[in-house]
Amino acid sequence: MKKKTVQSAFYISLIALIGIWSSCEKEEPIPTVELTAKVELTGVTTGSKVDELTIRVKSNQTGVTKEFTAEANGETTMTLEEGVYNFEATGKISYSYTDYEGEEQTKTESIAGLIENLSVSSSMTNKTVAIQTHITVNSSGWVIKEIYSASTKTSVGNKNYTHVQFVEIYNNSGEKMYADGLAIGETQVTSATVPNYYADDIANYTFVQTLYSIPGNGTNYPVDPGKSILIAPYPINHKVEFDPADNKLLDLSIADFQWYDEHSLALQVPEVPDLIKHYSYSSTIWILTTQTNRGLVLFKTDNIADYVTNNIDQRKNNAGKDAIAVRLDNAKVLDAVYLGHPEKIKVKTIAPSLDLGFTYCSETFNGKSVRRKVSHVESDGRVVYQDTNNSTVDFIPDAEPQPKQFKVD
Amino acid sequence: MKHLYLTYIVITIFVAISPLFAEESQKRSIKVSGNITDADTKNPLSFATIYIHETYNGSASDINGHYTILCEPGQSYRMTVSSLGYQNIDTLLLLQKNTKIDFSLHPRSFALSEVVVSAKENSRENSSSLIGKEALQHIQPSSLADVFQLLPGGLTKEMAMTTPQYMQLRQAGSDVNTSLGTSFMIDGMTLQNDAVQNVYGETTSPTVLYGVDLRSVATDRIESVEVIRGIPSVEYGNLTSGVVKVALKRGKTPLGGRVKSDLNNKLFAVGEGFLLPGNAGTLNIDLDYMHYKDDPRKELSSYKRFTTSGRYQNRFTIGEEISFKLDADLHYTGSFDKTKSDPDAMKGKDDYEYNDYNNVSFSTSGTLSMLQKILKELHYNLSVSYTSTLTERKQLITPGVMPLPSATEEGEYDAQYLPAQYSSLLKVDGKPFNLSAKIKAKGEATTGKIHHHITTGVEWQYNKNLGKGEIYDQQRPPYPATKSTRPRPYIDIPAVKNLGLFVEDRLRYNFGKSTLAATAGLRATPFMLPKEYALSGKWYIEPRINTKLDLPDFQLYGEKIGITLTAGAGRHYRFPTQAQLYPAPLYFDYIQLNYYTQNPDLRMLNVRTWIEDPTNYNLQPALNSKYEAGIQIKIGEMSLDLTLFNERLNNGFSSESAFVSHTYRKFDPTSVDPSTITQRPDLSNFTFIHDTISSLYSMAQNNSYVNKRGIEYTLYLGKVEALYTSIRLNGAYFLTDYKLNALRYFKPGVVINNRTYPYVGVYNYHNTENRTRAQFNTNLDFDTHIPKLRMIFTSSFQAVWFTKTREPWNNGLPVGYLDDTGQYYTFEADQANDPVMKHLTDTYLSKYFDPTVVPLAFNVYLKMSKEIGDFMQIGFYVNRIFNYQPGYKDKYGRTVSSQARRSSNGYPYFGAEISLKI
């Protein structure tokens, strides 16, 4: 019997060993990728300083988020396993700008950027992940995208040609909005009116000398996200009608609305609906201030005709004479742009809460406009404009007029 | 009927004066005669003038220098003998029998002891200033405008010659009625511009016109200027403010010239007076050229003037008692700025502007003098003046596309859109033409102890514009945005005619050692207008009187003291000009349909035009009533002249708004959708509403009121012999009220909720038009005349002690308002808070009605004239070599700095000139 026990023990241990052996699976090691994540800033002025830059990397498979802090140069290195991740960057940016009094001011804003579903693998050619960040937009709605008021000189005859002026309003949100009832107007005083006899009231009100509004019952004029409303006094193709060889003349026949003044100097283009002229200081035509030293506001209220009649303000101006303007409640101002030439600004005509800074065209009739900067482009291609309520930072002075074009420069 | 009236008057005059041809019942029995010669060369002086102050009679020497005058025995007469280029001789005659007196005159020069370089108060009864040749030369003038700085109240300043210079007289500030109401005469020829329709190429607005542009009168040929500031003789009419009489040089003179240069001006003048062979008289020929530039760097702001003149004079004697003096003059003035083009206004390659001005005038006068008859003198003057002004302007117009209303008749019509750019050619052809004729007769009579010197006469003036007016292609107008008139040939406008009849007695009454002299006269003018005018044919009578009382001299503390008192009153009418009487019709164009589709073939424009006649058929002449009183005190060598005056101008010419209401059909462009049509629609396809709109337009009126009050003073302190310096002081205090006595209309240019403002405010005050101004100044002049050095040096210290301006208070509210149909409503005070009615109120801070007082401005001016050798005289002047103008606080408490004051009145300015005599 002795020989039989040893044999079965051997076979049992052999089976046990095989059993143990096979259960200890040897795991394959998962490849990792070393990459640099870099935060890139768009649409912010130079001389800015970023702070508290955090990059969160979330794995789409595991849902685990890892946080990294970027260095001062915006970069950080990380080692990630191959997979699909979302990269999100957040932080703070401090920048300085010159205010209307010529003083240096600093502002801090939040920035954010996101790259979704980025595939990380060893075969990546570019081991740097650039995360485009932008200042978080705090207005989600209508913004004034461009104002072309400086106008241009014609090539032939070098004449002042103000007929190419326009104002463009953009749907900066992600939803369809209706343009019915939007009103535009220019401030009564210029940036050079010293003292500004409305100064005590501008914290709560803006005083305008013109106010024109888009008609409609509320749903007549829909505007998709990423689209705009172009308003011009002469919505014709100026180049074709005036001088085909002059490239400074624009084709404004694409305008959506016309501000039309009944006067022998004006043209009524029936294809383009007219704005309602609620108030104007002039019984002739309204020409935007070519010196770019008045503010332009975008305003909306219910029953605007009655609002105008009930809010006519009369006070003494600096020459001791009566000045009349329409008083707009700042709470109903959707957007405002303060225009003033840097060397000539003496007063603020728009509340700082509406616009902290200013923008301008350096010369009259130089063929340039003021245009809002692009903050970023959404994944579906929709352009989002920057709006921190600070025109010094948000606008490009002396820009090329681009009606109905949303180029990322 | 009118002609019958006229004929009756002319016949009456002739009948009345015919006995004057009879011999005088009481002949002046003493004959004074002799020869007048040049003291240096001993040559006879032809046509030298002899003037007797007491009889107001003048005479002249014949070609050989021989003269004859008559006077009464035992009477004392003051006599002045003068000749061009020579020093006057004043003498006193008291004779018993026929006497021969020869006069020897010295040529004028600074080597002589008596030189007058200031304005003298004339010895006549009214206040007038006489500016002689030396005074004229000393101020180194560029044009007649420079001369008025010598009058009391006048300030030395440079004339900016790129804008027209208009006359100001006895006032703080200026106004159009004074400029229009001053009559300018050059040797009997009145400068008239009543038929001028365009200035600088634009047809003037159909309302108030200014008077003569003083820049156009060159000064080198002027012998003397008399400015009548007070009440002129009735011989001068169609004026309200004063008369400027220019006497030109006549007689033999050597060849002489002047070259003047200052910061802005270059002037060159040359002239000579010839004695024609064979006793054929004298002929003076001269020419002058001036070029003025505002800014030496800018080509385009400049003024160039070229003038030339030929003046013939002769004198025929028939026996010793009858002589006939004949003058005949031909003048030319031109400005030839052919290539004036503003680089900023015209950028088209072919653009140019061309301004041409040419004036030719001819004048002749004759005087028949009869020493022994009751009728002493028969005089005529005939002048004709023709001006051609042509402006041509080619300009690239780039309005950007806009509507062009172009109808010349009332009604609705389809119109065109202008192309976005086009070249326009504008020609303005103005040719004012005037004619004037004057006849007058002078006689003498004595009633008891009073000597009468009677003048009567008739004067006729005719003004018409022979030009074609504005000429341009109606489809390509030069000013598309402002088109309220259409071209109207000037030659179609009726002429303006004036007729004046006058009679005047200048009398002298000696009682004891005093003398009372008075000039009393009457002028009558019928208003020569077509029947449609309310005042057509109405007669306007202008009585005027000036008196002067010379009290006997008396002695006080060893000094001889003489006192003279003067007083005067008069009425003066100024009749309206052609532009005021016959304004152009106004066109009101209302765009009924403005359908500028993006498809050019479908475009449509429909316009409704209304025509209004802005003629004021009730237009009256302006009336100025003047009152003045003065005193002149002579103490030894010193003299003080003080004149107080009060002048009231009523019915002065003004331009004011008139209200008109028009209807039109307002078509709705959105009622025809352009995408539904393929060809131009018909007007009937559009819906419309009837709309009424109100407008204001300008009309000539008589609502200006000007009240001038003040004191003029001239003090001559005599000569400090040791310093060769004479001291004089002059100045004035002027208080002037300007007012517009009419309602003011104002339509706010605002649009509220798609509607142009529906009301026109009616106010009973005029801000900025109504104001009171005051000015008080003193000029202290030191004239240093050193005969040995043949030099005169004047230092002038001029202080304007203050100028004050004040507007009368108003409450800023209208008295009423008119709606679009012309319905009038009274304005209630509580309406001022209504948001729509607020636009009619125009209140001011109460400080606005406080007077603005500008304090002392003090300046020092230096002038020097020196003769060098026998042939040359040089002049040099510096204005404002020293200037003190302190800063002050204005009525709002804001500080006006000394720097700001000084820069607005200019920095030092200087010039120099050389005159040559060959």
Side-chain angles (χ1 to χ4, degrees):
Chain A
M1 179 88 132
K2 242 197 220 159
K3 198 178 183 175
K4 257 202 197 150
T5 317
V6 173
Q7 240 183 350
S8 39
F10 175 72
Y11 284 127
I12 289 169
S13 48
L14 195 67
I15 290 165
L17 237 97
I18 291 169
I20 292 168
W21 199 19
S22 64
S23 72
C24 287
E25 235 182 27
K26 184 164 175 208
E27 278 190 358
E28 282 273 326
I30 297 172
T32 57
V33 184
E34 277 225 8
L35 38 79
T36 312
K38 186 176 166 64
V39 175
E40 283 189 358
L41 299 159
T42 58
V44 186
T45 50
T46 50
S48 46
K49 193 168 60 84
V50 289
D51 220 3
E52 301 171 20
L53 273 177
T54 314
I55 302 177
R56 280 182 211 89
V57 186
K58 180 174 158 194
S59 160
N60 278 3
Q61 285 111 336
T62 63
V64 171
T65 308
K66 290 192 195 165
E67 263 195 32
F68 302 89
T69 309
E71 327 258 300
N73 62 358
E75 291 181 4
T76 185
T77 48
M78 55 181 69
T79 312
L80 294 175
E81 294 176 347
E82 284 188 348
V84 179
Y85 294 90
N86 286 354
F87 289 81
E88 188 194 346
T90 55
K92 292 244 185 291
I93 183 168
S94 301
Y95 56 89
S96 61
Y97 67 96
T98 319
D99 77 2
Y100 69 97
E101 275 168 338
E103 311 262 317
E104 283 273 312
Q105 304 279 354
T106 6
K107 193 129 194 291
T108 306
E109 292 281 2
S110 312
I111 53 168
L114 181 67
I115 300 183
E116 287 177 306
N117 304 329
L118 183 71
S119 189
V120 173
S121 72
S122 333
S123 56
M124 277 169 78
T125 39
N126 187 2
K127 298 269 192 325
T128 306
V129 176
I131 311 170
Q132 300 282 346
T133 51
H134 57 273
I135 293 181
T136 52
V137 171
N138 29 17
S139 96
S140 57
W142 296 107
V143 293
I144 297 170
K145 171 241 175 190
E146 188 163 4
I147 304 169
Y148 185 21
S149 64
S151 313
T152 185
K153 280 200 192 278
T154 58
S155 300
V156 177
N158 208 30
K159 297 281 179 181
N160 295 341
Y161 191 74
T162 54
H163 291 192
V164 282
Q165 291 185 340
F166 67 83
V167 173
E168 191 170 5
I169 302 171
Y170 185 80
N171 181 350
N172 215 22
S173 75
E175 288 133 26
K176 178 157 81 171
M177 296 205 287
Y178 293 93
D180 305 40
L182 285 179
I184 53 173
E186 259 188 329
T187 57
Q188 166 84 304
V189 288
T190 68
S191 58
T193 310
V194 176
N196 178 0
Y197 45 94
Y198 295 108
D200 293 335
D201 293 316
I202 60 166
N204 299 314
Y205 299 104
T206 306
F207 294 86
V208 295
Q209 60 177 6
T210 46
L211 195 68
Y212 288 67
S213 78
I214 298 177
N217 61 13
T219 52
N220 290 121
Y221 302 105
V223 179
D224 285 331
K227 296 279 185 276
S228 71
I229 300 258
L230 181 66
I231 309 173
Y234 293 89
I236 57 178
N237 187 336
H238 291 270
K239 195 164 154 175
V240 162
E241 305 252 4
F242 191 92
D243 181 1
D246 192 341
N247 289 327
K248 290 187 285 195
L249 300 176
L250 307 171
D251 177 10
L252 293 177
S253 58
I254 50 174
D256 300 293
F257 289 98
Q258 176 185 13
W259 79 70
Y260 171 65
D261 303 292
E262 266 184 64
H263 190 267
S264 57
L265 291 169
L267 296 171
Q268 169 68 289
V269 179
E271 289 91 341
V272 178
D274 294 339
L275 297 184
I276 305 171
K277 190 168 174 178
H278 288 288
Y279 192 85
S280 175
Y281 68 95
S282 160
S283 57
T284 61
I285 56 173
W286 178 31
I287 301 180
L288 294 173
T289 311
T290 52
Q291 289 107 310
T292 60
N293 59 4
R294 285 199 152 87
L296 192 89
V297 296
L298 184 63
F299 174 77
K300 186 165 179 180
T301 187
D302 297 323
N303 210 343
I304 189 166
D306 285 342
Y307 185 92
V308 166
T309 330
N310 292 332
N311 283 285
I312 292 189
D313 175 281
Q314 183 184 44
R315 64 180 68 194
K316 297 265 175 284
N317 66 9
N318 295 332
K321 301 191 68 169
D322 281 336
I324 298 186
V326 179
R327 188 185 66 174
L328 302 178
D329 194 347
N330 280 353
K332 299 188 175 165
V333 171
L334 302 178
D335 193 16
V337 178
Y338 179 53
L339 294 159
H341 200 275
E343 274 134 51
K344 296 181 193 155
I345 289 189
K346 303 229 175 56
V347 299
K348 199 82 158 100
T349 63
I350 291 189
S353 58
L354 294 176
D355 188 349
L356 276 172
F358 63 92
T359 185
Y360 60 94
C361 284
S362 44
E363 270 173 35
T364 56
F365 302 104
N366 63 355
K368 301 275 190 255
S369 67
V370 297
R371 192 173 75 240
R372 196 179 280 280
K373 287 183 193 161
V374 172
S375 169
H376 61 281
V377 181
E378 294 281 315
S379 45
D380 57 2
R382 176 173 73 87
V383 169
V384 178
Y385 283 97
Q386 180 171 311
D387 182 17
T388 63
N389 284 345
N390 184 342
S391 305
T392 314
V393 165
D394 292 342
F395 270 82
I396 305 168
D398 285 323
E400 283 302 315
Q402 292 175 351
K404 288 281 190 189
Q405 293 163 53
F406 317 111
K407 298 189 199 161
V408 180
D409 246 317
Chain B
M1 188 58 225
K2 189 174 67 182
H3 295 295
L4 212 57
Y5 217 160
L6 219 58
T7 324
Y8 173 70
I9 288 166
V10 173
I11 291 174
T12 311
I13 289 175
F14 274 113
V15 165
I17 63 177
S18 56
L20 299 176
F21 283 96
E23 292 285 330
E24 267 191 305
S25 49
Q26 187 189 354
K27 282 194 183 180
R28 299 231 176 97
S29 47
I30 299 193
K31 187 156 71 176
V32 185
S33 61
N35 289 307
I36 305 179
T37 54
D38 176 320
D40 294 343
T41 65
K42 311 288 185 261
N43 287 334
L45 290 179
S46 346
F47 309 148
T49 317
I50 298 110
Y51 184 70
I52 311 274
H53 291 251
E54 283 74 6
T55 64
Y56 313 121
N57 272 339
S59 183
S61 62
D62 63 16
I63 199 93
N64 298 315
H66 184 82
Y67 76 93
T68 308
I69 53 165
L70 296 179
C71 53
E72 286 173 49
Q75 290 273 21
S76 97
Y77 294 97
R78 234 172 67 230
M79 185 163 114
T80 301
V81 181
S82 59
S83 181
L84 181 64
Y86 292 87
Q87 184 114 67
N88 293 2
I89 290 183
D90 277 306
T91 183
L92 215 56
L93 297 178
L94 179 60
L95 305 164
Q96 300 294 346
K97 58 181 174 59
N98 289 0
T99 314
K100 184 170 193 303
I101 306 179
D102 289 332
F103 293 97
S104 199
L105 302 183
H106 290 271
R108 276 208 200 111
S109 127
F110 293 162
L112 302 175
S113 53
E114 182 70 39
V115 176
V116 178
V117 291
S118 58
K120 284 171 63 171
E121 280 297 304
N122 217 349
S123 57
R124 288 181 68 111
E125 297 83 58
N126 53 17
S127 46
S128 76
S129 306
L130 187 61
I131 298 159
K133 184 72 213 167
E134 270 116 17
L136 261 177
Q137 269 182 318
H138 197 47
I139 55 173
Q140 296 161 43
S142 303
S143 81
L144 193 57
D146 293 321
V147 160
F148 302 107
Q149 56 184 269
L150 295 172
L151 305 180
L155 305 170
T156 305
K157 58 182 174 187
E158 299 84 45
M159 295 296 148
M161 301 280 268
T162 45
T163 51
Q165 294 299 307
Y166 300 119
M167 185 71 189
Q168 288 171 279
L169 196 57
R170 282 186 161 176
Q171 62 191 140
S174 65
D175 71 297
V176 283
N177 281 290
T178 299
S179 160
L180 196 61
T182 306
S183 181
F184 283 83
M185 304 181 64
I186 300 190
D187 275 343
M189 176 178 81
T190 311
L191 297 181
Q192 301 172 65
N193 66 351
D194 280 20
V196 169
Q197 287 284 345
N198 61 307
V199 181
Y200 299 135
E202 323 293 330
T203 302
T204 54
S205 79
T207 49
V208 190
L209 198 66
Y210 286 86
V212 169
D213 179 3
L214 298 173
R215 298 178 300 167
S216 60
V217 185
T219 55
D220 286 83
R221 59 183 69 103
I222 299 180
E223 171 67 19
S224 65
V225 179
E226 182 185 345
V227 183
I228 303 177
R229 314 181 316 267
I231 296 149
S233 149
V234 289
E235 203 183 314
Y236 309 112
N238 206 17
L239 57 93
T240 51
S241 309
V243 182
V244 177
K245 284 172 66 182
V246 173
L248 299 177
K249 291 182 193 169
R250 273 171 217 282
K252 179 160 164 38
T253 64
L255 177 65
R258 173 169 81 122
V259 174
K260 167 185 163 164
S261 175
D262 62 31
L263 290 181
N264 295 335
N265 252 325
K266 309 238 177 316
L267 187 151
F268 166 75
V270 67
E272 186 171 353
F274 306 93
L275 195 59
L276 298 173
N279 291 349
T282 62
L283 180 65
N284 290 74
I285 298 183
D286 42 56
L287 52 88
D288 131 294
Y289 171 74
M290 185 189 74
H291 185 184
Y292 172 89
K293 265 203 198 141
D294 225 349
D295 181 342
R297 296 163 294 180
K298 284 200 293 203
E299 215 10 83
L300 59 104
S301 318
S302 67
Y303 175 76
K304 284 187 204 160
R305 175 192 77 201
F306 173 73
T307 70
T308 180
S309 158
R311 301 180 295 285
Y312 171 76
Q313 182 187 67
N314 203 352
R315 204 179 135 84
F316 311 95
T317 46
I318 307 164
E320 283 214 321
E321 294 171 3
I322 300 181
S323 66
F324 178 67
K325 181 163 94 97
L326 174 70
D327 293 331
D329 305 339
L330 190 64
H331 305 282
Y332 167 78
T333 304
S335 110
F336 46 81
D337 236 334
K338 294 199 190 304
T339 53
K340 192 187 287 238
S341 100
D342 178 353
D344 290 325
M346 302 175 183
K347 269 306 181 71
K349 299 188 297 293
D350 302 323
D351 287 359
Y352 64 85
E353 179 173 331
Y354 167 115
N355 283 299
D356 206 19
Y357 173 92
N358 290 288
N359 167 273
V360 174
S361 64
F362 173 74
S363 167
T364 168
S365 37
T367 310
L368 181 69
S369 307
M370 296 159 287
L371 295 182
Q372 293 286 21
K373 313 272 186 228
I374 294 176
L375 175 67
K376 285 274 175 271
E377 203 179 277
L378 260 182
H379 172 92
Y380 81 88
N381 175 283
L382 188 68
S383 19
V384 61
S385 161
Y386 173 76
T387 310
S388 166
T389 62
L390 180 65
T391 294
E392 203 170 294
R393 189 182 295 149
K394 181 151 196 259
Q395 206 172 352
L396 182 68
I397 311 285
T398 54
V401 185
M402 63 179 260
L404 165 72
S406 61
T408 48
E409 303 198 349
E410 281 196 336
E412 292 186 350
Y413 59 96
D414 288 332
Q416 300 295 318
Y417 285 100
L418 278 171
Q421 66 179 16
Y422 59 91
S423 186
S424 88
L425 181 62
L426 170 70
K427 284 194 203 177
V428 187
D429 172 42
K431 293 187 160 56
F433 168 76
N434 53 65
L435 211 62
S436 70
K438 184 180 195 170
I439 303 176
K440 88 182 170 200
K442 286 191 187 177
E444 282 180 11
T446 310
T447 60
K449 291 190 81 176
I450 306 175
H451 296 274
H452 299 268
H453 211 84
I454 301 169
T455 310
T456 184
V458 61
E459 181 177 19
W460 178 78
Q461 290 173 343
Y462 174 88
N463 278 281
K464 187 155 168 66
N465 196 315
L466 303 172
K468 298 200 204 75
E470 286 180 353
I471 305 163
Y472 60 87
D473 178 2
Q474 293 266 50
Q475 300 303 312
R476 297 288 177 264
Y479 306 105
T482 52
K483 254 304 82 259
S484 61
T485 57
R486 305 282 193 261
R488 171 176 77 147
Y490 298 150
I491 197 167
D492 290 348
I493 309 173
V496 171
K497 295 171 266 206
N498 278 306
L499 181 72
L501 306 162
F502 56 91
V503 62
E504 176 179 82
D505 183 7
R506 224 182 147 184
L507 52 92
R508 280 185 87 83
Y509 174 50
N510 294 322
F511 54 101
K513 284 208 179 151
S514 320
T515 310
L516 175 68
T519 306
L522 204 70
R523 188 178 173 100
T525 309
F527 204 172
M528 299 176 78
L529 286 178
K531 292 192 296 304
E532 302 83 65
Y533 290 77
L535 296 161
S536 163
K538 178 169 166 177
W539 283 81
Y540 289 88
I541 312 290
E542 298 168 67
R544 299 182 202 162
I545 180 164
N546 279 301
T547 58
K548 179 163 131 166
L549 180 64
D550 274 308
L551 296 173
D553 296 342
F554 57 95
Q555 291 275 349
L556 197 62
Y557 303 117
E559 294 281 0
K560 182 169 92 154
I561 301 182
I563 299 183
T564 305
L565 300 170
T566 58
R571 282 164 78 97
H572 313 75
Y573 283 101
R574 194 346 173 166
F575 292 87
T577 64
Q578 192 186 51
Q580 292 162 305
L581 286 169
Y582 309 104
L586 295 174
Y587 292 76
F588 293 84
D589 304 302
Y590 300 104
I591 296 178
Q592 301 196 129
L593 175 65
N594 187 343
Y595 197 67
Y596 195 86
T597 57
Q598 284 167 352
N599 176 351
D601 298 326
L602 306 176
R603 286 179 188 154
M604 267 195 77
L605 188 63
N606 189 277
V607 179
R608 174 67 161 107
T609 298
W610 291 93
I611 304 179
E612 296 293 334
D613 175 13
T615 306
N616 181 353
Y617 290 98
N618 292 312
L619 201 58
Q620 301 176 48
L623 168 65
N624 195 14
S625 305
K626 289 188 175 209
Y627 307 92
E628 64 175 18
I631 181 168
Q632 186 195 76
I633 304 173
K634 277 194 162 61
I635 304 176
E637 214 187 286
M638 299 195 289
S639 72
L640 169 68
D641 264 278
L642 209 62
T643 310
L644 273 88
F645 62 89
N646 187 342
E647 305 185 7
R648 255 188 236 121
L649 177 80
N650 278 304
N651 296 334
F653 299 115
S654 57
S655 159
E656 287 151 53
S657 302
F659 177 93
V660 70
S661 175
H662 292 129
T663 58
Y664 68 105
R665 292 197 292 167
K666 193 163 153 175
F667 289 89
D668 182 4
T670 60
S671 57
V672 172
D673 183 348
S675 58
T676 62
I677 52 172
T678 48
Q679 56 181 33
R680 183 170 290 128
D682 189 67
L683 201 60
S684 55
N685 299 128
F686 294 87
T687 61
F688 69 89
I689 54 165
H690 285 287
D691 199 11
T692 313
I693 191 161
S694 62
S695 301
L696 297 173
Y697 63 90
S698 286
M699 199 158 126
Q701 294 278 13
N702 292 103
N703 287 320
S704 270
Y705 169 81
V706 181
N707 182 210
K708 296 181 186 173
R709 284 166 287 169
I711 303 175
E712 292 166 327
Y713 59 92
T714 306
L715 175 64
Y716 178 71
L717 289 169
K719 195 158 170 176
V720 178
E721 290 292 346
L723 295 173
Y724 299 99
T725 303
S726 51
I727 307 170
R728 68 199 147 81
L729 194 83
N730 80 358
Y733 170 69
F734 294 137
L735 180 64
T736 320
D737 281 316
Y738 301 93
K739 211 157 79 133
L740 255 189
N741 276 335
L743 293 174
R744 176 173 73 101
Y745 295 92
F746 169 66
K747 183 168 181 176
V750 294
V751 174
I752 305 177
N753 287 328
N754 250 351
R755 189 92 184 74
T756 48
Y757 196 79
Y759 303 118
V760 171
V762 181
Y763 306 79
N764 63 359
Y765 62 86
H766 287 260
N767 25 8
T768 72
E769 294 282 357
N770 291 7
R771 61 193 185 282
T772 303
R773 299 192 59 160
Q775 175 181 300
F776 179 46
N777 83 305
T778 304
N779 295 352
L780 176 62
D781 293 340
F782 294 91
D783 294 317
T784 305
H785 172 214
I786 306 175
K788 257 199 281 216
L789 292 178
R790 299 168 71 195
M791 182 184 92
I792 298 183
F793 180 81
T794 301
S795 33
S796 180
F797 299 84
Q798 301 190 355
V800 179
W801 304 104
F802 64 84
T803 62
K804 206 160 148 175
T805 313
R806 191 175 58 85
E807 281 183 36
W809 184 85
N810 63 68
N811 65 359
L813 300 176
V815 289
Y817 55 97
L818 297 157
D819 71 10
D820 283 321
T821 61
Q823 174 83 31
Y824 179 82
Y825 303 90
T826 314
F827 189 90
E828 312 292 342
D830 55 8
Q831 284 180 290
N833 289 322
D834 176 86
V836 173
M837 302 314 268
K838 262 189 207 181
H839 292 81
L840 292 177
T841 65
D842 192 12
T843 55
Y844 289 81
L845 300 169
S846 60
K847 276 203 182 304
Y848 182 85
F849 301 107
D850 287 346
T852 302
V853 181
V854 177
L856 174 68
F858 178 71
N859 290 292
V860 179
Y861 302 80
L862 301 176
K863 279 201 260 285
M864 186 200 77
S865 300
K866 178 167 165 44
E867 288 173 354
I868 297 177
D870 279 334
F871 307 112
M872 194 158 81
Q873 183 179 330
I874 58 170
F876 173 73
Y877 67 90
V878 183
N879 289 348
R880 294 181 299 280
I881 190 168
F882 174 77
N883 164 289
Y884 172 65
Q885 296 185 121
Y888 64 98
K889 276 208 170 2
D890 73 3
K891 62 190 179 194
Y892 297 113
R894 295 186 296 220
T895 308
V896 178
S897 69
S898 167
Q899 196 56 41
R901 281 191 74 186
R902 197 169 304 159
S903 60
S904 67
N905 272 338
Y907 290 97
Y909 186 93
F910 49 88
E913 66 173 34
I914 296 181
S915 300
L916 298 163
K917 236 186 326 193
I918 300 165

